Amino acid sequence: MEYKSKNRSQTQKIAKDLSQKFKNTGGIIALMGDLGAGKTTFTQGFAKALGIKEKIISPTFVITRQHQIPNTNRFLFHIDLYRLENITSLPEIGISEFIDQKNSIVIIEWPEKILNLLPDETIKIKIEKIKNNERKIKISP
Ligand code: ADP
Ligand code: MG
């Protein structure tokens, strides 16, 4: 699916719509795009739609931020791999535990470095800046 977004809230609406698929199930989302494309903005919309009240910021100095999904025993793990290099296995960056928890949702910014290590069923999203506030958002499958 391919979407056009003209502002932050349209990007967050697209994220909200995707979050509905995860109401009762976990999964992994690889969120690609350059700096400033809108990956964190997308994650904010996704988290808000799940009822998460905590502030979603780019987890730049810690790799992972963990947010409980209200009224559930499930978690949203927000991961940012921007600063990591030469990753050859998931255990070495400590994220295999989350990925193995079938119930949790894992959103990964800068997943390019570990794409080949992620399960086949990973949802891949690419956000591209077209100009100013315009973004193209591609979700596959
Ligand atoms: P990333 O996490 O990809 O580096 P951020 O979400 O932190 O990007 O930042 C995206 C920036 O682009 C924000 O300042 C946001 O206000 C701006 N922006 C402008 N238009 C859009 C849009 N259509 N969708 C998402 N962000 C947008
Ligand atoms: Mg970010």
Side-chain angles (χ1 to χ4, degrees):
M1 287 296 281
E2 204 170 292
Y3 305 87
K4 269 252 170 72
S5 163
K6 288 188 182 316
N7 54 51
R8 279 177 62 87
S9 53
Q10 284 186 6
T11 294
Q12 294 189 335
K13 170 68 165 65
I14 293 163
K16 179 183 179 181
D17 291 347
L18 179 69
S19 77
Q20 299 310 301
K21 279 198 192 176
F22 294 90
K23 272 240 157 356
N24 300 303
T25 178
I28 302 170
I29 298 171
L31 199 44
M32 291 169 271
D34 292 338
L35 204 64
K39 302 180 294 298
T40 300
T41 300
F42 186 97
T43 307
Q44 287 165 346
F46 191 98
K48 193 174 168 203
L50 294 173
I52 293 169
K53 297 278 191 321
E54 294 154 272
K55 198 168 174 196
I56 303 292
I57 56 172
S58 252
T60 305
F61 292 102
V62 291
I63 295 178
T64 306
R65 283 174 177 274
Q66 175 175 340
H67 307 278
Q68 183 157 15
I69 302 168
N71 306 317
T72 74
N73 52 8
R74 304 170 58 215
F75 290 89
L76 171 68
F77 293 98
H78 182 201
I79 298 173
D80 192 320
L81 300 179
Y82 184 60
R83 283 167 195 276
L84 291 195
E85 281 164 39
N86 302 321
I87 306 164
T88 55
S89 77
L90 297 182
E92 96 193 30
I93 50 173
I95 67 171
S96 36
E97 302 93 280
F98 322 139
I99 286 179
D100 292 341
Q101 282 178 32
K102 293 288 172 246
N103 232 350
S104 52
I105 306 171
V106 182
I107 298 186
I108 309 172
E109 297 191 37
W110 300 102
E112 286 84 347
K113 299 162 181 182
I114 60 160
L115 271 189
N116 55 337
L117 303 174
L118 294 173
D120 289 343
E121 59 272 21
T122 300
I123 293 180
K124 297 181 187 70
I125 302 181
K126 180 127 198 191
I127 308 181
E128 242 177 287
K129 182 169 176 173
I130 306 297
K131 59 177 187 203
N132 304 324
N133 298 336
E134 220 175 285
R135 303 289 188 271
K136 191 166 89 181
I137 302 177
K138 217 169 153 178
I139 303 182
S140 56

